[in-house]
Amino acid sequence: MNTVTLRANMAESESLETITEHERILQEIESTDTACLGPTLRSVYDDQPNAHKRFMEKLDARIRNHDREIEKMCNFHHQGFVDAITELLKVRADAEKLMGQVSDTNRRLQDAGREVTAQTEEVIRCRVQQRNMATTVEKLQLCIPVLEMYSKLKEQLESKRYYSALKTMEQLENIYIPRVSQYRFCQIMAETLPKLREEIKEISMSDLKDFLESIRKHSDKIGETAMRQAQQHRTFNSAVQKQVTLSCAKPLYGLNGRTPLHHNGLSTDTAEEEEIDEEVLTAQDLVDFSPVYRCLHIYTVLGDRETFENYYRKQRKKQARLVLQPQSNMHETVEGYRKYFNQIVGFFVVEDHILHATQGLVTRAFTDELWNMALSKIIAVLRTHSSYCNDPDLVLELKNLIVIFADTLQGYGFPVNRLFDLLFEVRDQYNETLLKKWALVFRDIFEQDNYSPIPVDTEEEYKAVVSRFPFHDAEIEKQQFPKKLPMSQSVPQIYSQVKEFIYASLKFSESLHRSSTEIDDMLRKSTNLLLTRTLSSCLQNLIKKPHIGLTELVQIIINTTHLEHACKYLEDFITNITNVSPETVHTTRLYGLSTFKDARHAAEGEIYTKLNQKIDEFIQLADYEWGMAESDGRASGYLMDLINFLRSTFQVFTHLPGKVAQTACMSACKHLATSLMQMLLDTELKQISMGAIQQFNLDVIQCELFASSEPVPGFQGDTLQLAFIDLRQLLDLFMVWDWSTYLADYGQPTSKYLRVNPSTALALLEKMKDTSKKNNIFSQFRKNDRDRQKLIETVVKQLRSLVNGMSQHS
């Protein structure tokens, strides 16, 4: 029972739920678009089995419900509908009448509008033509500027205004052509522009090559102009400095300028100052740089500037190497050096102008690199070619060119210190050429000198000599004219030439930017070289010449004495030029004193040598008859001639210092005594007779008389006679035959024959012994003088024992 009830309750519950679901579905169907009913209807079949049947029943019930509602509504509005139909039927007749009126009106309207339509179509056609014309004009207005620009481009190319042409191309490509790029002529134009650019590049590069060739040819003229302007500027500064110097009452010598030379009272500075007023020309006045600027701008616009810069620098480096190559004969003339310097200056003036006129085409680093390379080459070239110069004037002109060359490039900012260092080497070369030149001058002076005192007949002649040479002698000044000065003509000439050498050396020191002290030092050193090397060598060679006799040597000694005294005046001369006090620390002194002393000593030695040679010549004339029985009773003729020669010679020595004359006299006497002794002891002389000894004794007596006659004053007592003491004692020993005394007193300080050497006595005694054996000198005395013969033999034995004892002792 309960189960049945439960099932009944459950069935009832399910039935309520189904009904509620069906209501919902129906409401959804009523409110939803028919296109979306699929899912709704599908839910009916997804529910409980047979649910669709109940739904259909429900749906039918709902349809019947709606039908009833429709029927009710129609019944409610039916009368109104009927009334409306009736009214509509009444209106139909009016409508047909209206339709006829409308049709008639439309017909008349169509007839009236047909003409308007034709006119309207004509207007439309004209409007289209007008619009097309406006469009054409508009497009032409866009194309005409392009064509005008292209025409302008052609004109610029024809007139070679390539930079402007590139700008025009750029405007065409970026502005004008893009506006009308759809037209074929613009496409052709756009394709032509790159070719034109390449053509412009080639043309501009060709112009650059022509420019490079042009400046290579014009470098000489550019450099000449720049160096002339630098020289004018330096001359002007020198003139200003001299004006200041003159106003300050200083010497007329400027360290940075030359001492003005006056001719006929006019200064050479006048013409130089007038040159300064000339128009100043620049590199730009001489060379057209527009090809460089144009080519640089063209390559910059084309975006290929780096290629242009590299090409330009490479070509300029090649040109620099060509410019730095000198001609093989450049050292022969100053014009060769000038042309070489002009080309180099012209090259670097152009580079300096390019450096400042363009931005980055060349850099300071590039020009410095070029200059350092060039400077090394220039120094090497000048060092080589200057070594070939033997003319001091050419070397001096080369120095002036180097100074102007350095000043010119220094004005353009190039360092030139190494060039001034080179000038010190050139200065040494200049000094060498000066020394060679002055060696010839000195040689000519010595060859033309007569080596006799200078005769002066009038006061004017005396003053003329004194003006050239600082000579002062109170005694000579008191003498009446005519009179003679002690030195020969070469002395004032040598002194004047030394001063000329100092002037010549000073010329090189100008414009070297050196202090007065340095210039003073250079002058003194070069003058020392002149005195100690050149003049000293000339004097030494002069003294050694065969044709220079004793008289000339005496005069040379006198000359060197006066030149030695004049050295202090040369010191003062240099001091006056450089205005540097000789008391300044490290000031170089002149070595002329030692030069002339050495020359004088050499001359003195040559006097001694020539005297001895002359004595030897007289000795060679000796013709003794060594076997003569007795002497002639008078001295030999050769010896008397020799003594007369010595007397006359020593009279010439009166102008020499006393010591020199005394030394010469003593040397001559000693040499004469030695020669006579050697004549007696000559190994080729085998026999000497007593008569020959007696004749020889007469000659020695004459020598002693000559020595005692005081041929040269100043000897004390018998000092000069002592030169013959060895001969005198030897001859006395043989003449007196005092062997007992000799042998008894031998070795004693008080010995009468102290200067007689046993070996000398033995050699001479053996010559006499041989004579006594072979000749009959003692034949009549053989019976009476046997003791004497034995004595000779005994003496010989004793002398031999003495000689042997001396050799063993030694």
Side-chain angles (χ1 to χ4, degrees), residues 98-235:
L98 179 63
M99 186 64 184
Q101 292 176 354
V102 169
S103 297
D104 184 55
T105 302
N106 180 53
R107 180 181 55 77
R108 293 197 304 272
L109 181 62
Q110 289 296 329
D111 294 339
R114 191 172 289 112
E115 184 178 354
V116 174
T117 301
Q119 294 179 354
T120 302
E121 289 177 354
E122 182 66 22
V123 170
I124 291 172
R125 187 179 61 81
C126 291
R127 292 288 186 185
V128 170
Q129 290 179 350
Q130 183 180 11
R131 184 174 65 251
N132 290 340
M133 292 175 63
T135 302
T136 302
V137 170
E138 181 182 356
K139 297 302 181 182
L140 286 175
Q141 287 176 346
L142 291 176
C143 293
I144 287 175
V146 178
L147 296 173
E148 289 177 346
M149 291 297 289
Y150 193 78
S151 176
K152 179 181 178 181
L153 172 63
K154 287 295 185 180
E155 292 178 359
Q156 290 171 340
L157 291 175
E158 290 176 359
S159 61
K160 297 183 179 181
R161 293 183 289 130
Y162 300 116
Y163 179 71
S164 300
L166 288 175
K167 289 296 184 181
T168 303
M169 287 184 192
E170 185 177 352
Q171 292 178 350
L172 280 171
E173 287 182 331
N174 298 332
I175 300 175
Y176 293 97
I177 291 180
R179 297 175 182 174
V180 289
S181 59
Q182 67 272 22
Y183 301 109
R184 179 165 179 76
F185 80 90
C186 289
Q187 297 174 2
I188 296 174
M189 193 181 296
E191 293 173 358
T192 305
L193 293 181
K195 297 179 181 178
L196 292 177
R197 280 196 176 91
E198 291 300 321
E199 183 179 346
I200 290 174
K201 284 180 66 175
E202 293 176 0
I203 294 174
S204 61
M205 184 57 70
S206 176
D207 290 344
L208 176 66
K209 292 178 180 178
D210 293 341
F211 167 77
L212 292 175
E213 181 66 21
S214 173
I215 60 172
R216 190 179 69 83
K217 294 179 180 179
H218 288 84
S219 290
D220 191 2
K221 182 64 176 177
I222 296 171
E224 179 184 357
T225 303
M227 290 182 67
R228 183 172 64 251
Q229 292 171 1
Q231 185 176 11
Q232 290 172 354
H233 181 70
R234 185 166 64 88
T235 303

Side-chain angles (χ1 to χ4, degrees), residues 505-739:
S505 182
L506 175 64
K507 289 181 180 179
F508 195 93
S509 302
E510 297 170 348
S511 305
L512 291 185
H513 309 295
R514 298 293 172 179
S515 65
S516 299
T517 304
E518 290 176 302
I519 292 178
D520 181 86
D521 184 66
M522 287 189 287
L523 287 180
R524 292 177 184 272
K525 287 181 178 179
S526 58
T527 306
N528 278 332
L529 284 176
L530 178 72
L531 296 177
T532 60
R533 197 171 77 183
T534 304
L535 182 55
S536 176
S537 176
C538 291
L539 285 171
Q540 296 292 339
N541 293 334
L542 174 67
I543 291 169
K544 298 295 183 182
K545 285 186 176 181
H547 70 275
I548 297 297
L550 292 173
T551 304
E552 288 81 1
L553 289 172
V554 170
Q555 188 61 54
I556 289 173
I557 292 176
I558 296 172
N559 290 347
T560 54
T561 302
H562 287 283
L563 288 172
E564 179 182 343
H565 294 159
C567 283
K568 62 179 181 178
Y569 296 99
L570 291 176
E571 294 252 10
D572 296 339
F573 177 71
I574 295 176
T575 299
N576 292 332
I577 290 178
T578 61
N579 201 26
V580 176
S581 174
E583 285 76 20
T584 305
V585 181
H586 305 307
T587 299
T588 304
R589 302 298 178 185
L590 294 183
Y591 303 142
L593 298 177
S594 60
T595 298
F596 298 123
K597 285 182 180 178
D598 293 342
R600 188 160 58 252
H601 292 159
E604 293 171 1
E606 193 67 18
I607 286 177
Y608 307 149
T609 302
K610 286 188 178 295
L611 268 177
N612 294 341
Q613 291 175 352
K614 201 67 178 177
I615 291 172
D616 291 339
E617 292 175 3
F618 280 102
I619 293 294
Q620 290 175 1
L621 298 176
D623 187 18
Y624 287 102
E625 185 179 349
W626 296 108
M628 63 193 315
E630 58 184 19
S631 67
D632 294 338
R634 63 180 183 274
S636 302
Y638 85 92
L639 188 67
M640 297 306 298
D641 293 339
L642 172 58
I643 290 175
N644 292 331
F645 165 76
L646 291 177
R647 288 186 187 278
S648 61
T649 299
F650 290 141
Q651 287 178 356
V652 178
F653 286 7
T654 54
H655 297 291
L656 289 176
K659 184 178 179 180
V660 177
Q662 293 171 10
T663 304
C665 187
M666 177 60 74
S667 173
C669 291
K670 285 184 176 180
H671 185 73
L672 176 59
T674 302
S675 298
L676 293 174
M677 180 69 77
Q678 290 175 351
M679 189 185 302
L680 282 176
L681 301 178
D682 188 3
T683 55
E684 295 182 359
L685 179 61
K686 303 300 183 182
Q687 302 172 1
I688 298 179
S689 66
M690 182 58 68
I693 294 293
Q694 292 172 354
Q695 182 63 42
F696 203 82
N697 181 60
L698 292 175
D699 292 343
V700 173
I701 290 174
Q702 290 299 322
C703 293
E704 290 172 334
L705 291 174
F706 169 74
S708 62
S709 66
E710 196 175 7
V712 174
F715 286 107
Q716 297 180 354
D718 56 353
T719 303
L720 192 58
Q721 291 175 296
L722 293 177
F724 301 97
I725 189 65
D726 292 356
L727 271 175
R728 172 48 50 210
Q729 291 186 5
L730 179 63
L731 292 174
D732 284 349
L733 176 61
F734 278 83
M735 293 291 293
V736 179
W737 207 254
D738 195 7
W739 292 105

Side-chain angles (χ1 to χ4, degrees), residues 422-562:
L422 172 67
L423 283 175
F424 283 94
E425 298 181 26
V426 179
R427 181 198 64 188
D428 296 337
Q429 175 68 17
Y430 177 69
N431 286 337
E432 288 297 323
T433 57
L434 283 182
L435 293 176
K436 291 179 181 178
K437 178 180 179 180
W438 257 258
L440 297 176
V441 172
F442 291 151
R443 193 176 305 158
D444 291 340
I445 291 174
F446 289 141
E447 288 179 356
Q448 296 173 7
D449 194 10
N450 56 9
Y451 297 99
S452 59
I454 301 175
V456 287
D457 298 331
T458 62
E459 182 72 22
E460 288 73 17
E461 293 181 3
Y462 178 78
K463 289 181 179 180
V465 174
V466 173
S467 64
R468 291 188 297 153
F469 181 76
F471 174 76
H472 303 285
D473 190 314
E475 294 183 0
I476 294 180
E477 289 178 356
K478 294 177 182 178
Q479 296 177 4
Q480 298 295 324
F481 291 100
K483 53 189 175 182
K484 292 184 177 181
L485 304 183
M487 64 279 190
S488 67
Q489 191 63 45
S490 63
V491 173
Q493 293 177 349
I494 291 293
Y495 182 80
S496 298
Q497 286 300 322
V498 172
K499 292 172 66 176
E500 288 297 323
F501 176 87
I502 295 173
Y503 276 126
S505 182
L506 175 64
K507 289 181 180 179
F508 195 93
S509 302
E510 297 170 348
S511 305
L512 291 185
H513 309 295
R514 298 293 172 179
S515 65
S516 299
T517 304
E518 290 176 302
I519 292 178
D520 181 86
D521 184 66
M522 287 189 287
L523 287 180
R524 292 177 184 272
K525 287 181 178 179
S526 58
T527 306
N528 278 332
L529 284 176
L530 178 72
L531 296 177
T532 60
R533 197 171 77 183
T534 304
L535 182 55
S536 176
S537 176
C538 291
L539 285 171
Q540 296 292 339
N541 293 334
L542 174 67
I543 291 169
K544 298 295 183 182
K545 285 186 176 181
H547 70 275
I548 297 297
L550 292 173
T551 304
E552 288 81 1
L553 289 172
V554 170
Q555 188 61 54
I556 289 173
I557 292 176
I558 296 172
N559 290 347
T560 54
T561 302
H562 287 283

